[in-house]
Amino acid sequence: MVDYPVLRYEHAAHSQEKGEYRHFMLKEIHEQPAAIANTLEGTQGEDHVLTAILGLEAETRLKDLQNIHIVACGTSCHAGLVARYWIEDQAGLPCQVEVASEYRYRQVAVPANTLLIAISQSGETADTLAALRYAKQQGYLASLAICNVAGSSLVREADWRLLTKAGPEIGVASTKAFTTQLVALLWLTTALAQVKDRAPEMISANVRALKGLPRLVEKVLHLDQHIEELATTFANKHHALFLGRGPHYPIAMEGVLKLKEISYIHAEAYAAGELKHGPLALVDENMPVVSVAPSDSLLEKLKSNLQEVGARGGQLITFACERVDMDEGEGITYLKLPWVYEAVSPIVYTVPLQLLSYHVALVKGTDVDKPRNLAKSVTVE
Ligand code: AGP
């Protein structure tokens, strides 16, 4: 007989109850400022990140890394897609991202000194676990699990670990797990930039922006009532398009997944520059077009993409920065968000899209926390 150690994980009793909220999803959306603060606790100094939290072996080997491969499923994969922009831009490392269900069944070519990152809320997703096990035979420098469950299979089997501290997520639609994954990934990008001696101003700007995130997200949560009003636009709609550019393209993809999953409205996300290559033909007064328009280097490009939609009578709902002038007009609704530092902007712009899907689902009268045909943790293939 083998004696296995018993591990106990404590969570506050209130994390299993809805409390004042109508649904777990809404509660979890509102828990994001605290979940982000918990995830960051003890991970950064004044102007640098504390790479020691990754463990001695990881800390010493970070500087050897030359490539990153990321595998994950669903929402967790969208977090990886955002991170690709950050890692290539800020740390200068080539990064590829793939859904775990595809990755596990193909022959991958692994360049020297590549880190495999597996992202999962539960740490028990069958495809992500299988991808990690497969990767361990492929000659990676190491594997890193980014996960919300400390004792999960993924965390136990990966070489290194970076835990998100979102607390238990009960709603099937992932919300606080996603934003804390993004926080962990921006922290990791900063750690990589730091060991690679990239611009110290960029590193300290990331640290400051991460510290300020809980307060910013709190501010955006106050838009709830306006977003509730917008949700009625979707009452009789069967389809929607979501647009974004740069790292906000995967945020549009995540917004689409949330909407499909809990309101059963069919939606597609496009990198806004792709619109004229086909999907523009779908645009008419019955097609709401949601776009994410932060004040970044791609804003002017996005604006001209939105004009193309407006000119075809599309109903535009745009989440934009309060400091930016956008053309008002018939069929165009703007919701203004506070100005944010570019790197954390994908995290902040996620929140209104979560609230939008939540309120659309309420309008549609669906079972928000337990959408049809879905399970919280997909432990079988
Ligand atoms: C998200 O809202 C979904 N429920 C789903 O895509 C989920 O993110 C996916 O199944 C992966 O789960 P994991 O993060 O626990 O691995």
Side-chain angles (χ1 to χ4, degrees):
M1 208 173 86
V2 184
D3 266 344
Y4 290 104
V6 176
L7 300 175
R8 289 183 196 283
Y9 299 99
E10 311 266 335
H11 290 294
H14 65 77
S15 60
Q16 315 285 344
E17 290 158 15
K18 279 185 270 195
E20 64 187 272
Y21 294 97
R22 191 164 158 196
H23 294 99
F24 278 110
M25 182 182 177
L26 187 61
K27 176 176 177 250
E28 288 159 4
I29 289 173
H30 281 269
E31 281 172 348
Q32 289 177 113
I36 291 170
N38 288 343
T39 300
L40 286 171
E41 201 185 329
T43 67
Q44 350 190 70
E46 268 305 293
D47 56 1
H48 63 286
V49 296
L50 305 173
T51 48
I53 66 150
L54 286 171
L56 188 60
E57 210 247 351
E59 192 188 17
T60 47
R61 302 219 65 191
L62 276 189
K63 62 175 177 333
D64 301 331
L65 291 182
Q66 286 171 353
N67 287 283
I68 310 273
H69 287 179
I70 299 179
V71 291
C73 299
T75 288
S76 298
C77 191
H78 295 153
L81 288 167
V82 175
R84 180 164 69 103
Y85 288 89
W86 287 333
I87 291 169
E88 298 211 342
D89 177 30
Q90 297 202 350
L93 294 174
C95 176
Q96 70 176 47
V97 186
E98 193 168 351
V99 286
S101 54
E102 284 297 310
Y103 171 93
R104 64 181 286 196
Y105 288 118
R106 71 180 184 88
Q107 186 52 57
V108 289
V110 183
N113 294 326
T114 303
L115 174 70
L116 184 279
I117 303 179
I119 310 171
S120 172
Q121 186 285 129
S122 60
E124 303 297 344
T125 300
D127 284 322
T128 309
L129 256 179
L132 172 68
R133 289 173 185 154
Y134 168 67
K136 292 190 90 166
Q137 316 300 319
Q138 306 302 316
Y140 283 92
L141 180 140
S143 56
L144 166 69
I146 296 185
C147 189
N148 195 39
V149 181
S152 62
S153 308
L154 198 77
V155 169
R156 282 185 277 117
E157 293 186 30
D159 303 317
W160 308 339
R161 52 209 53 89
L162 183 53
L163 293 176
T164 52
K165 310 260 175 64
E169 193 179 62
I170 314 282
V172 165
S174 189
T175 52
K176 60 178 181 171
F178 179 65
T179 43
T180 53
Q181 284 167 347
L182 290 176
V183 164
L185 286 159
L186 184 56
W187 179 91
L188 182 70
T189 304
T190 315
L192 291 168
Q194 196 169 289
V195 296
K196 298 277 178 196
D197 291 325
R198 309 281 288 193
E201 312 77 58
M202 179 182 74
I203 291 159
S204 55
N206 279 7
V207 169
R208 271 198 309 279
L210 282 168
K211 273 188 192 143
L213 250 184
R215 207 130 53 90
L216 260 176
V217 170
E218 193 74 67
K219 261 188 163 177
V220 174
L221 287 169
H222 288 131
L223 296 173
D224 193 27
Q225 214 187 323
H226 295 290
I227 297 173
E228 188 176 352
E229 287 157 21
L230 282 183
T232 52
T233 314
F234 290 78
N236 304 310
K237 301 292 187 288
H238 300 288
H239 309 278
L241 289 177
F242 280 53
L243 306 176
R245 296 201 70 136
H248 298 88
Y249 169 40
I251 295 305
M253 293 166 86
E254 173 58 12
V256 156
L257 180 61
K258 284 295 86 94
L259 189 74
K260 283 177 180 166
E261 162 170 62
I262 61 168
S263 75
Y264 316 149
I265 291 177
H266 169 241
E268 297 293 335
Y270 281 94
E274 272 295 289
L275 211 58
K276 55 185 160 307
H277 298 289
L280 198 53
L282 293 169
V283 172
D284 64 13
E285 66 285 357
N286 292 315
M287 176 71 82
V289 179
V290 177
S291 66
V292 184
S295 168
D296 64 11
S297 48
L298 289 168
L299 181 65
E300 289 309 313
K301 304 260 174 223
L302 180 69
K303 277 186 183 175
S304 72
N305 302 140
L306 297 185
Q307 278 163 7
E308 289 160 3
V309 173
R312 268 99 194 156
Q315 269 187 292
L316 267 169
I317 296 172
T318 302
F319 296 98
C321 170
E322 63 189 7
R323 291 196 194 167
V324 162
D325 282 336
M326 305 287 285
D327 302 333
E328 309 275 341
E330 211 185 315
I332 306 178
T333 311
Y334 287 108
L335 218 118
K336 303 275 184 175
L337 271 74
W339 179 88
V340 284
Y341 169 65
E342 196 162 336
V344 294
S345 160
I347 307 174
V348 175
Y349 278 77
T350 297
V351 177
L353 298 186
Q354 295 169 339
L355 287 167
L356 182 65
S357 335
Y358 174 74
H359 288 297
V360 173
L362 288 190
V363 171
K364 292 274 175 182
T366 57
D367 186 349
V368 173
D369 285 332
K370 291 197 191 104
R372 67 187 182 202
N373 311 336
L374 299 177
K376 179 64 185 163
S377 196
V378 187
T379 53
V380 290
E381 198 176 356

